[in-house]
Amino acid sequence: MHRRLRLIAILVIISLLAWGASLALAAEPKRGGTLRIAYGNKISHFDFHTAPGYELIMVAMNVGCGLVNVTPDGDFVGDAAESWDVSPDGKSYTFKLRDNVYFHNDTLVTAEAVKFSIDRLMDPATKSGMRRFYEPVDRVEVLDPKTVQVHMKRPYAFFLHMIAGYRTGLVLYSPEATEKYDLDDRKKGKPGAVVGCGPFKFVEWVPNNHFVMDRWEKYHQAGKPYVDRVLIRVIKDPVTQMAAFKAGEVDFIASFSPEHVETLKVQNPDAQILTGPESTPMTAMMKVTKPAPGEKKLSQKRVPHPIFGDVRVRKAVGCYGTDREAIVKIAFKGGATPWVGMISPGAIDSVDVNAMCPYDPERAKALLQEAGYGPDNPLTFQLTTNTEKSVFNINSSCL
């Protein structure tokens, strides 16, 4: 079913580097030191395959490693895999692993570990939110200790994107550590239970307070990472974040609130504020479905929305009736891009179709009137927004 959604590509993950670090950006990176980061939200838990939230994903991409990564330009590069081949029919992917990739418990990353990790993601008992993305995978076969083959049920062009992706990406698990410790141990961050193969190893987690990870000396990319330690502090209040930044207690603030950007610029003129490709693009959208009967408000089990089942209503609200320019100006203080479409600007295959949905309130009213709405029968509906952190809290009064 065709849907016209209200979409804005929000580039307001704002990263802030202390003045000392900003002056060194143009120079060659130097080894050593501690990077201190402020998170606005807490990390839920440390089972990488099941934990929700972008905060955990950011950690998983540093503590964990996968088969491949994707560059900002859309190119695939090897991670634990040094090379890969796709069969002519597109139904088999064969990965050759590097010889020098170690888990943080000093065990080698092998084809068995890759199979173990994918099988775990696909197992319904794991209850991974990523499992649905792996539905096209039929089975994983170990050809030899360094070669693993993934067989698909059908050709699936999205497969490499999926295993390299920000939210769906494959994080390899140590079979030994996973079998030695249970799920509860990983969720609680028990020492030895959280074992990855990325550039940093898990050191300490104090829930709702801080997380520490240290440089992994055996990381397969020689000389990396550059810093010795990363300290992540949970600081929810933007004003407190700014105070810590000004006092030199943190070097980097992830997902800073747009309404405080101008204040921060005044307090810290040398701060680097990143809102483009260096940051994490996000998309704000209006979901035009409703929970299935008997399901909770945020349930994944959805059914078509009775109001937005009418294409005229969808066009009136999500196309002509949405002033994207005003939302960007008011809600995001100019730190976003007005956009129509599912793919954020600057991403691969992104197409600017903004001209298809100009802000035209009179046309929107005419469509609503045609659909049977007006002064005697006003259109009403409820928007559910994430209010845990202000950067995600869209000012719906702009509609």
Side-chain angles (χ1 to χ4, degrees):
M1 179 177 68
H2 175 73
R3 295 171 179 168
R4 176 67 59 208
L5 303 178
R6 179 196 68 170
L7 294 170
I8 316 160
I10 312 169
L11 303 179
V12 291
I13 298 291
I14 300 176
S15 308
L16 308 169
L17 297 176
W19 66 269
S22 67
L23 296 177
L25 288 178
E28 286 296 318
K30 295 181 179 180
R31 169 72 190 278
T34 297
L35 176 64
R36 301 160 303 173
I37 301 174
Y39 267 10
N41 285 357
K42 64 181 181 180
I43 296 171
S44 54
H45 63 75
F46 276 90
D47 183 66
F48 296 144
H49 290 172
T50 62
Y54 74 92
E55 294 85 6
L56 188 279
I57 297 301
M58 292 178 181
V59 171
M61 294 171 71
N62 284 285
V63 173
C65 75
L67 286 173
V68 297
N69 287 323
V70 61
T71 69
D73 296 325
D75 297 323
F76 293 107
V77 294
D79 195 2
E82 66 178 7
S83 62
W84 57 92
D85 294 304
V86 185
S87 62
D89 64 1
K91 294 177 66 176
S92 294
Y93 290 76
T94 304
F95 297 90
K96 190 70 175 180
L97 303 181
R98 303 181 192 274
D99 295 324
N100 62 335
V101 183
Y102 287 85
F103 286 111
H104 300 155
N105 58 3
D106 280 325
T107 59
L108 274 168
V109 173
T110 64
E112 285 287 355
V114 175
K115 174 177 169 56
F116 175 86
S117 300
I118 297 178
D119 285 350
R120 184 176 188 270
L121 270 171
M122 294 174 58
D123 186 351
T126 304
K127 298 181 180 180
S128 173
M130 295 178 277
R131 178 173 174 262
R132 63 184 180 273
F133 297 106
Y134 288 77
E135 185 278 330
V137 176
D138 181 46
R139 60 190 173 89
V140 183
E141 181 181 4
V142 173
L143 302 184
D144 63 51
K146 289 294 179 183
T147 310
V148 62
Q149 193 169 66
V150 182
H151 299 277
M152 314 301 295
K153 298 174 185 175
R154 55 188 177 274
Y156 186 48
F158 186 61
F159 179 66
L160 288 179
H161 294 83
M162 179 183 75
I163 63 174
Y166 166 74
R167 186 64 185 91
T168 61
L170 172 65
V171 178
L172 299 178
Y173 263 38
S174 162
E176 292 83 359
T178 307
E179 291 168 354
K180 181 177 179 180
Y181 298 92
D182 62 21
L183 177 61
D184 194 51
D185 291 332
R186 280 189 301 282
K187 284 188 172 183
K188 292 180 178 179
K190 184 175 180 178
V194 183
V195 175
C197 46
F200 293 94
K201 61 183 179 180
F202 180 101
V203 174
E204 179 186 57
W205 179 46
V206 177
N208 302 322
N209 188 287
H210 71 269
F211 167 68
V212 179
M213 53 185 175
D214 281 354
R215 184 181 193 272
W216 173 230
E217 296 293 341
K218 290 187 177 181
Y219 185 54
H220 65 83
Q221 292 189 34
K224 294 183 179 179
Y226 296 110
V227 299
D228 293 331
R229 168 166 286 198
V230 177
L231 168 63
I232 296 174
R233 295 174 54 192
V234 177
I235 306 176
K236 292 188 175 183
D237 178 42
V239 176
T240 306
Q241 288 179 344
M242 287 191 293
F245 182 74
K246 185 177 181 180
E249 297 172 1
V250 297
D251 309 304
F252 183 99
I253 302 176
S255 64
F256 191 69
S257 299
E259 62 265 35
H260 296 289
V261 169
E262 293 305 318
T263 301
L264 185 133
K265 285 181 179 178
V266 172
Q267 292 182 354
N268 302 273
D270 294 312
Q272 298 276 328
I273 300 176
L274 309 180
T275 61
E278 304 91 344
S279 62
T280 304
M282 295 184 295
T283 304
M285 66 187 70
M286 186 169 68
K287 205 166 196 175
V288 291
T289 59
K290 61 177 291 185
E295 295 293 327
K296 294 181 179 180
K297 187 176 294 185
L298 298 180
S299 171
Q300 293 296 317
K301 297 179 181 179
R302 317 291 296 183
V303 296
H305 198 290
I307 293 176
F308 293 99
D310 190 323
V311 66
R312 295 168 297 184
V313 177
R314 294 202 299 276
K315 285 183 176 181
V317 176
C319 185
Y320 307 115
T322 300
D323 190 346
R324 294 171 178 79
E325 297 283 350
I327 293 174
V328 167
K329 181 179 179 180
I330 299 171
F332 300 108
K333 309 301 180 184
T337 302
W339 202 249
V340 177
M342 288 299 297
I343 305 177
S344 300
I348 303 172
D349 298 329
S350 178
V351 178
D352 186 349
V353 293
N354 283 354
M356 295 176 63
C357 282
Y359 178 53
D360 190 339
E362 294 305 317
R363 190 171 180 181
K365 290 177 182 178
L367 282 170
L368 288 177
Q369 186 174 18
E370 186 180 324
Y373 296 98
D376 297 329
N377 182 32
L379 171 66
T380 60
F381 57 92
Q382 184 181 57
L383 289 178
T384 301
T385 62
N386 184 334
T387 58
E388 185 176 6
K389 184 169 172 54
S390 58
V391 71
F392 294 130
N393 191 9
I394 299 173
N395 186 352
S396 57
S397 64
C398 294
L399 285 174

